[in-house]
Amino acid sequence: MTTNERAADLTAGLLISVGIRRWALDTRYIFSPSMEPTLEVGDRFVLDKLSLRWRPPERGEVVCFRAPPPLSREYGEKACFVKRVVAVGGDTVQVRRGALYVNGARVREEYLRSPTSYAMPRLVVPQGHLFVLGDNRADSRDSHFWGPLQSSYVLGRAIGEA
């Protein structure tokens, strides 16, 4: 193999890896305890960006998203937050007596660190939005704090450890 062929292979490999990272898969890390015990501070995970093109996030999935306006002022617009989708556009969501209710039905949340300590009045999630909550409800700035998240802010799904 000549030097030019090696350089061409290296360039092609670099372009492919940059393309994969930009449009398909990326790795991120957890910087806050808001998703404990599911994801611990310092954990790394694979972010699936590609599947958003044919399927929107669903209830129960963990997503990574750009900071919404209330958080972008504090953390910057490039910050990536990780939360669980608990309701989608058109759903009603409410927290009462420490339990999450979606469309009037109590949601079983075995992944929670502890029961939710706050109440939240019934809210209809607007179309094109998601309602996202951290699994560590006692230490999570999430939709109960700043409201429904525009779906366009979602960067991808957390699909596994990196």
Side-chain angles (χ1 to χ4, degrees):
M1 185 177 276
T2 68
T3 303
N4 285 344
E5 289 172 328
R6 278 190 225 127
D9 286 349
L10 181 61
T11 301
L14 182 61
L15 290 173
I16 289 169
S17 69
V18 168
I20 287 172
R21 187 165 183 186
R22 170 107 170 116
W23 291 292
L25 299 172
D26 199 355
T27 57
R28 300 292 174 128
Y29 73 97
I30 301 298
F31 65 89
S32 82
S34 71
M35 284 301 292
E36 290 178 350
T38 306
L39 296 167
E40 304 283 336
V41 173
D43 282 355
R44 295 187 67 78
F45 63 93
V46 176
L47 180 65
D48 167 17
K49 299 176 180 183
L50 191 59
S51 67
L52 288 178
R53 297 181 191 279
W54 61 82
R55 184 176 66 80
E58 298 174 351
R59 282 182 226 99
E61 290 184 315
V62 176
V63 296
C64 181
F65 54 92
R66 290 188 339 263
L71 297 179
S72 66
R73 289 186 283 278
E74 184 176 344
Y75 295 98
E77 291 183 10
K78 297 205 182 223
C80 178
F81 289 84
V82 180
K83 305 289 182 217
R84 187 176 301 274
V85 176
V86 299
V88 298
D91 286 345
T92 59
V93 63
Q94 179 179 25
V95 176
R96 64 179 191 256
R97 292 186 294 279
L100 173 68
Y101 291 80
V102 175
N103 299 325
R106 185 176 178 164
V107 178
R108 293 182 50 121
E109 298 183 287
E110 292 86 18
Y111 44 78
L112 289 184
R113 168 160 278 192
S114 59
T116 305
S117 60
Y118 55 82
M120 189 187 81
R122 183 178 170 273
L123 173 119
V124 176
V125 180
Q127 291 299 328
H129 289 72
L130 304 168
F131 202 85
V132 295
L133 296 174
D135 289 355
N136 181 3
R137 305 278 162 83
D139 193 7
S140 180
R141 294 181 68 191
D142 49 33
S143 285
H144 95 274
F145 180 75
W146 37 260
L149 174 73
Q150 288 182 19
S151 297
S152 62
Y153 280 60
V154 175
L155 301 171
R157 294 175 175 81
I159 60 169
E161 293 185 30

